[in-house]
Amino acid sequence: MHRPHAPRDSSRTTDGRRSRLPGWLRRIGLRQVRMFTGLVMFAYLLSHFLNHALGNISPEALEAGVLWHLEVWQFLPVAILFYGSVTIHAGLGLWALYQRRQFRWRTIEPLQLVLGLSVPLLIYSHVIGLRLSNVLYGIDKLYPQVLYAYWVAWPSYRVWLMVTVMLVAWAHGCIGLALWLRIKPAFRKAMPALLVVAVLIPTLALLGFYEGGRDVIRVAADPAWQDANLSIKQMGTLQQQRTLDRIGDAFVIGYLGLIALALIARAIRGLMERRGGMIRLTYGGDRTVRVPRGMSVLEASLRHNIPHASVCGGRARCSTCRIRVLGDVDELPPPTSREAFVLGSVGAADDPTIRLACQLRPTHDLTFLPVFPPRNVAAARQAARMSRIGDERYLVSMFVDLRGSTKLAETRLPFDTVFIVNRFLGAVSRAVIACGGQPNQFVGDGVLALFGLNESPREASRNAIRAAAAVAASVDELNSMIGHDLGAPIRFGVGIHGGVVILGEIGYRDHMVFTALGDSVNVAARLQDMTKTLGCETLLSDEIRATAGIGADLLPTQQAEIRGRTEPMLVCPIAQSRDLAAALDHSEALLA
């Protein structure tokens, strides 16, 4: 008897086909096509600029250079590659205008797009006058004819238009190269040399264009020169020029129409998405935003000004925007080929909860946690501005350290370890900030927090103790949230001590960090380390207890030998940090 076939899983079939493709082919997407076509166009632009630069030598050098230039770029396979790249690159620019839902308006991305879209409008008359006239009518315009048109026959504004074209096209190409190379390890070292080249080449090209124009102006009135260089074969007839002008007008109308069509399509898409319903994106329980269906997670972060790590700017060329999806992943759209390739490169292809925020476009409510927290130094800089460097003042230092991080790394993939450590550091930082403290330094899997930058020693001490209890609550919440990733609950140790410190910036050149320097900071670090041997979560000095106004009978005390100090110190070992909240509440009740 015939047995019916089971329904095929289309996503699984697609994934299977994708996995059989070679690695270099799976890496190719629209961004890679845009990059390749841009490189072809930049190579042409570089060749053209170097040819212009020959005008600084002599008119003969300029003539000889253009013949070599045409020999290369009018060779049929190269010409097909070039004009195909121009068409595809322009089309992808219009597609980017339509597709991108959110831009980093404070970065270089929108400038890159505007420059790219403006190049065809600036250069169309030049292309039609030179290339199309040759194809349609066999007109051979070289440097003498072009320079005569710009510097003698045409109004002066056409010269400035050509200068604008050269600068805009070159800037667009350089920005594209910088966005491509900025995540390459050698780019930072090569930046000074590349900057020199990026400035020198267009400068020489513009000077060559100017010198060539001066040479033509000197001989333009010579009848013999005009007979040799301004014939109908070289310049065309008036009727031919009118036809070319009509073609140019049609191009401008058509191109502006395509831009308008892309903008109208964006508006229609936004309206349809809103009519189709909104979804909720929840950032690990901290914040929830409503966005239209189809918007990527990274675009949602940018739209709502939520910091989100992304080194490559959302181009799926890195994995720093990774998120871990919490809950059911069956309703998520499958990864694109580019996303699957990137996730496979970092060993996350087999984990369906790890996705790229720049590529994931959820259609249902989603709760997730970013794997890599964004670099946020604004708070530290603000603290540095509010505190004069070199001041001495009383601060409370609190060290918080993750326990068992070495064992954690031995049993997990590297990105899983980073994910857990970052979640821990985030939970601690939120607790510190909520209690009036300032996360100051992140050292491995530990945090140094400072209290007292803008408050009295008593308030600083109480806030630090309150923060230790808040850290315990935050870590408990974290354990319940990512317990499926942990074999055992996250444990931590806290050391708290206060004293007079010096506020300063340490580091080298552009890598200066605002921090506090003093013996009390070192003691807090050693108290945190001693929690391991004393078997407690928090160890604070008795001086902090007294400064905070907590009665001696409310917290246990004992003598402890502190490494680096000759005298033993009276400390308060707290087995469970959450118990500190009750001691604070009791002391406040007594004061009332």
Side-chain angles (χ1 to χ4, degrees), residues 313-336:
R315 291 171 169 79
R317 294 179 54 218
C318 71
S319 63
T320 54
C321 69
R322 270 180 286 167
I323 60 173
R324 181 178 291 274
V325 177
L326 305 178
D328 189 12
V329 298
D330 293 337
E331 294 182 335
L332 296 179
T336 63

Side-chain angles (χ1 to χ4, degrees), residues 97-134:
L97 176 63
Y98 164 76
Q99 186 189 42
R100 198 67 179 263
R101 287 169 169 82
Q102 193 70 24
F103 292 97
R104 294 181 173 182
W105 293 109
R106 296 181 180 178
T107 67
I108 209 166
E109 294 176 12
L111 176 62
Q112 167 76 341
L113 181 60
V114 170
L115 292 178
L117 292 175
S118 66
V119 168
L121 289 175
L122 294 172
I123 205 171
Y124 78 94
S125 62
H126 187 72
V127 174
I128 291 175
L130 294 180
R131 300 272 68 82
L132 191 60
S133 65
N134 179 264

Side-chain angles (χ1 to χ4, degrees), residues 451-507:
F451 297 81
L453 289 170
N454 302 295
E455 56 199 352
S456 66
R458 181 179 182 278
E459 285 302 315
S461 300
R462 295 182 70 83
N463 286 341
I465 295 173
R466 187 177 292 109
V471 166
S474 294
V475 172
D476 287 343
E477 182 181 353
L478 180 62
N479 281 325
S480 64
M481 185 177 297
I482 63 172
H484 60 282
D485 283 331
L486 305 173
I490 289 177
R491 296 183 299 108
F492 63 93
V494 179
I496 306 174
H497 185 54
V500 176
V501 298
I502 298 175
L503 300 178
E505 288 187 332
I506 60 174

Side-chain angles (χ1 to χ4, degrees), residues 377-388:
V377 297
R381 289 176 178 171
Q382 182 179 4
R385 287 194 298 266
M386 296 174 62
S387 305
R388 291 183 300 172

Side-chain angles (χ1 to χ4, degrees), residues 25-255:
L25 191 58
R26 284 186 287 125
R27 189 185 308 178
I28 296 176
L30 287 180
R31 299 187 187 281
Q32 286 65 47
V33 174
R34 181 185 295 118
M35 180 179 66
F36 175 77
T37 56
L39 287 174
V40 173
M41 295 169 61
F42 192 79
Y44 176 86
L45 190 65
L46 179 62
S47 172
H48 209 44
F49 273 35
L50 293 176
N51 202 156
H52 281 359
L54 294 177
N56 295 296
I57 301 175
S58 67
E60 292 74 21
L62 200 59
E63 282 287 333
V66 75
L67 295 178
W68 282 102
H69 175 81
L70 294 176
E71 189 73 20
V72 173
W73 291 100
Q74 290 187 357
F75 179 57
L76 184 59
V78 178
I80 293 174
L81 177 64
F82 172 66
Y83 288 110
S85 296
V86 171
T87 304
I88 293 173
H89 200 76
L92 290 177
L94 292 171
W95 174 251
L97 176 63
Y98 164 76
Q99 186 189 42
R100 198 67 179 263
R101 287 169 169 82
Q102 193 70 24
F103 292 97
R104 294 181 173 182
W105 293 109
R106 296 181 180 178
T107 67
I108 209 166
E109 294 176 12
L111 176 62
Q112 167 76 341
L113 181 60
V114 170
L115 292 178
L117 292 175
S118 66
V119 168
L121 289 175
L122 294 172
I123 205 171
Y124 78 94
S125 62
H126 187 72
V127 174
I128 291 175
L130 294 180
R131 300 272 68 82
L132 191 60
S133 65
N134 179 264
V135 173
L136 294 180
Y137 304 118
I139 299 174
D140 292 325
K141 287 185 180 180
L142 295 176
Y143 270 109
Q145 295 77 35
V146 173
L147 293 173
Y148 177 83
Y150 275 105
W151 292 96
V152 178
W154 289 343
S156 60
Y157 79 89
R158 297 291 292 269
V159 173
W160 294 108
L161 181 62
M162 176 53 64
V163 171
T164 302
V165 167
M166 295 173 66
L167 294 179
V168 167
W170 185 256
H172 176 72
C174 289
I175 292 173
L177 284 175
L179 292 175
W180 173 44
L181 296 173
R182 63 180 177 179
I183 62 176
K184 305 292 184 182
F187 179 60
R188 185 172 294 275
K189 295 180 180 179
M191 276 181 61
L194 292 176
L195 180 60
V196 171
V197 173
V199 174
L200 187 60
I201 288 179
T203 302
L204 292 175
L206 289 173
L207 289 175
F209 179 64
Y210 171 71
E211 288 295 332
R214 290 182 60 188
D215 291 334
V216 168
I217 291 173
R218 281 195 296 266
V219 299
D222 185 356
W225 185 89
Q226 292 183 3
D227 291 340
N229 294 281
L230 302 181
S231 65
I232 292 179
K233 176 66 176 176
Q234 294 164 317
M235 300 297 291
T237 66
L238 184 61
Q239 182 60 38
Q240 290 171 344
Q241 186 59 48
R242 288 174 179 171
T243 302
L244 294 174
D245 289 341
R246 286 196 295 269
I247 294 174
D249 294 340
F251 171 81
V252 171
I253 294 173
Y255 185 70

Side-chain angles (χ1 to χ4, degrees), residues 459-584:
E459 285 302 315
S461 300
R462 295 182 70 83
N463 286 341
I465 295 173
R466 187 177 292 109
V471 166
S474 294
V475 172
D476 287 343
E477 182 181 353
L478 180 62
N479 281 325
S480 64
M481 185 177 297
I482 63 172
H484 60 282
D485 283 331
L486 305 173
I490 289 177
R491 296 183 299 108
F492 63 93
V494 179
I496 306 174
H497 185 54
V500 176
V501 298
I502 298 175
L503 300 178
E505 288 187 332
I506 60 174
Y508 178 68
R509 290 187 179 177
D510 296 333
H511 304 280
M512 303 297 291
V513 178
F514 169 75
T515 190
L517 305 172
D519 180 65
S520 62
V521 181
N522 300 329
V523 170
R526 288 161 187 161
L527 291 177
Q528 177 275 127
D529 194 56
M530 287 182 63
T531 59
K532 304 173 187 176
T533 56
L534 296 180
C536 60
E537 277 188 353
T538 297
L539 189 61
L540 57 96
S541 64
D542 190 64
E543 177 186 337
I544 287 292
R545 176 203 59 78
T547 305
I550 299 177
D553 58 329
L554 295 178
L555 296 178
T557 58
Q558 70 177 67
Q559 295 283 344
E561 297 287 341
I562 306 297
R563 179 167 52 87
R565 297 174 68 97
T566 57
E567 298 285 336
M569 176 183 286
L570 194 62
V571 297
C572 303
I574 312 299
Q576 299 291 329
S577 300
R578 63 178 65 91
D579 296 339
L580 288 169
L584 280 172

